[in-house]
Amino acid sequence: MNRRYLAIYEEIRQGIIEGVYPPGEKLPSENDFCKKFETSRGTIRRALDMLAEEGLVNSMHGKGVFVLDQNTISFSFGGLVSFKEANENSGVVFSTTVPFFTELVIDKKLEQKTHLPNGIDVYHLYRVRKLDGERVILDINYFSKEKCAGLTPEIAEKSIYDYIENDLELKIGFAQRVIQVEQATGKDREYLDMKAFGFVVVVRNYVHLYDGTIFEYTESRHRPDRFVFTDFARRR
């Protein structure tokens, strides 16, 4: 059996680890690799498929194969934690900016989207999370003004949950989550450094206080190369 693809996979993989092929950069074309390794395109594709399965590269149709950044941040969905807590647990340092902050009233259309009651006043804001100089997460937030009274952009840059629990002395109870992969929007391209990616991972959170009152809707839009979503499951 021809195992040539394994040796090619190992050589390219080592090049990625050593920085010969830097994160975010496009790999040489299949034809270039064919010439370099003196082999067929089928063999090269098999090696590239193994790299993709390992999460080292991502193939973009019509654009080529790009090296993924291995500095991933793991967010656990087994519990309800603030971004600040997830940030500290992951051991990496994000910075947060709030480029948009306003107040509005939930109408019927927003009620359907956010599950927040029609007619209530909310704080509506964007938070951009930056890591290593790159904007990689866009949080689109709606917080009940009644429950989160006094919220400001300065508080939002630090930790809204810390403010809610320690300053307002409210107890956050649970969240319903929906996770989807979606086409990137103009807003994503405006607020995130999308590179060659044409899609984002979207996590929608409908968050309730301990008494069951919904007070938050957050749409967290992630550039897909930097994040691993984890959970813990037990068989009943």
Side-chain angles (χ1 to χ4, degrees), residues 126-144:
Y126 298 167
R127 287 183 288 177
V128 176
R129 317 292 192 171
K130 185 182 287 188
L131 178 65
D132 297 333
E134 292 185 333
R135 301 171 299 168
V136 294
I137 307 175
L138 169 63
D139 282 348
I140 300 174
N141 304 117
Y142 296 83
F143 285 94
S144 166

Side-chain angles (χ1 to χ4, degrees), residues 20 30 32 50 67-68 76-77 83 91 95-96 100 106-107 109-110 132 159 165 199 204 208 210 215 217 222 225:
V20 176
E30 289 181 2
D32 289 338
M50 290 182 65
V67 179
L68 295 178
S76 172
F77 286 90
F83 186 88
S95 63
T96 298
F100 178 80
I106 295 292
D107 57 19
K109 185 176 180 179
L110 277 176
D132 297 333
S159 173
E165 293 180 319
F199 61 95
R204 293 182 170 86
H208 302 249
Y210 194 75
F215 73 97
Y217 168 76
H222 301 251
D225 61 322

Side-chain angles (χ1 to χ4, degrees), residues 149-194:
L151 183 62
T152 66
E154 291 73 25
I155 293 170
E157 284 184 358
K158 297 175 183 177
S159 173
I160 295 177
Y161 277 18
D162 183 68
Y163 172 71
I164 290 171
E165 293 180 319
N166 295 313
D167 290 73
L168 300 182
E169 298 182 343
L170 296 175
K171 189 171 183 180
I172 299 170
F174 62 92
Q176 297 167 303
R177 294 193 177 102
V178 178
I179 307 171
Q180 293 178 300
V181 176
E182 299 180 2
Q183 289 290 326
T185 65
K187 192 172 293 182
D188 295 321
R189 294 186 176 89
E190 178 182 358
Y191 288 102
L192 298 178
D193 296 313
M194 288 299 296

Side-chain angles (χ1 to χ4, degrees), residues 104-108 111 116-122:
L104 54 80
V105 178
I106 295 292
D107 57 19
K108 289 185 178 180
E111 179 183 28
L116 291 162
N118 183 24
I120 71 165
D121 295 318
V122 296

